Amino acid sequence: FTADFLLRQLDEAGIDKQMVFSIMLPSRESNDLTRDRVRGHDDRLMPLCHVIAQEAELALDELDRAIGDWGWKGVKMHWGESAEVISLEMMQPIVERLAELGVTLLLDTLYKLDLAMLMVYENPNTTFVVAHWGSPQNPDLMERWARFARVTPNCYLDCSFCHCWWKMSECFEVATCDKVLFGSDGPLWH
């Protein structure tokens, strides 16, 4: 999507700023694409670095480049890009670097609740935003994430792309509104 397209949608929805990123490409290619697309629109489009855990050292290099050199303020990871091989050991160097850099990780956990909760719990110096309330189509997992976020200082939830809209108000009450961030998953959902 072009910056002009995104800005038109923001204007139509009355939204001032939007976090943007590219995924499903190698990390370096994703970050170059995002950088090119937001150039000149930094006042409204806030880029997030994209890394893939399997890229190991390259992922760390990309964090240093996008966060350290370019000044980006956060990271987006989608565990679906790492297939079934994602592990705590694979994630640990990335999570530790995020703590050093002082930036937040927006994470799509691909329903891997136990692994994700363990990672968040064992890394209290890194801030995590769990995308799609941890489970866009499973109200029981949404509720488990709501309970976890409420008592875990470094865990927040994003409400984008949640298909279980009927469960959201209950989960808001459980997590508390201080723990839930608005997300639209736009431009896919206007």
Side-chain angles (χ1 to χ4, degrees):
F1 298 98
T2 66
D4 289 340
F5 178 84
L6 296 174
L7 293 170
R8 243 188 343 269
Q9 279 200 337
L10 292 178
D11 291 341
E12 290 169 6
I15 296 173
D16 296 325
K17 296 182 180 193
Q18 178 179 35
M19 293 181 294
V20 296
F21 48 85
S22 170
I23 60 171
M24 303 303 180
L25 295 169
S27 299
R28 189 170 196 85
E29 189 177 338
S30 273
N31 294 325
D32 287 342
L33 176 63
T34 300
R35 185 177 188 209
D36 289 344
R37 293 293 169 100
V38 302
R39 188 172 285 132
H41 304 284
D42 310 70
D43 58 328
R44 297 193 65 196
L45 301 178
M46 301 173 296
L48 296 181
C49 177
H50 166 249
V51 294
I52 300 172
Q54 289 168 299
E55 292 180 340
E57 284 298 318
L58 177 60
L60 297 176
D61 291 345
E62 280 303 292
L63 290 175
D64 291 339
R65 185 170 78 123
I67 307 298
D69 296 344
W70 298 346
W72 292 5
K73 306 295 185 208
V75 176
K76 164 66 175 179
M77 289 187 80
H78 192 297
W79 278 356
E81 294 179 279
S82 297
E84 297 299 317
V85 299
I86 199 73
S87 69
L88 204 53
E89 295 77 22
M90 186 183 294
M91 285 295 301
Q92 200 57 38
I94 293 169
V95 173
E96 288 173 4
R97 182 68 55 87
L98 294 174
E100 292 168 13
L101 293 168
V103 296
T104 298
L105 174 61
L106 172 61
L107 178 65
D108 187 326
T109 64
L110 197 67
Y111 299 97
K112 297 180 185 304
L113 177 116
D114 294 333
L115 176 63
M117 284 184 174
L118 180 63
M119 183 179 66
V120 173
Y121 180 77
E122 290 189 354
N123 291 280
N125 295 324
T126 301
T127 301
F128 296 85
V129 176
V130 178
H132 319 304
W133 216 300
S135 174
Q137 298 178 8
N138 185 321
D140 294 331
L141 291 183
M142 285 175 64
E143 188 172 338
R144 288 180 66 189
W145 273 111
R147 286 194 309 266
F148 182 79
R150 181 181 187 126
V151 299
T152 308
N154 61 324
C155 183
Y156 296 84
L157 304 170
D158 147 276
C159 67
S160 70
F161 202 68
C162 288
H163 299 273
C164 301
W165 54 268
W166 64 90
K167 188 72 170 174
M168 291 184 87
S169 62
E170 179 185 332
C171 287
F172 266 104
E173 287 182 31
V174 171
T176 73
C177 62
D178 292 338
K179 289 298 201 148
V180 181
L181 303 168
F182 171 74
S184 66
D185 226 17
L188 300 178
W189 286 23
H190 193 292

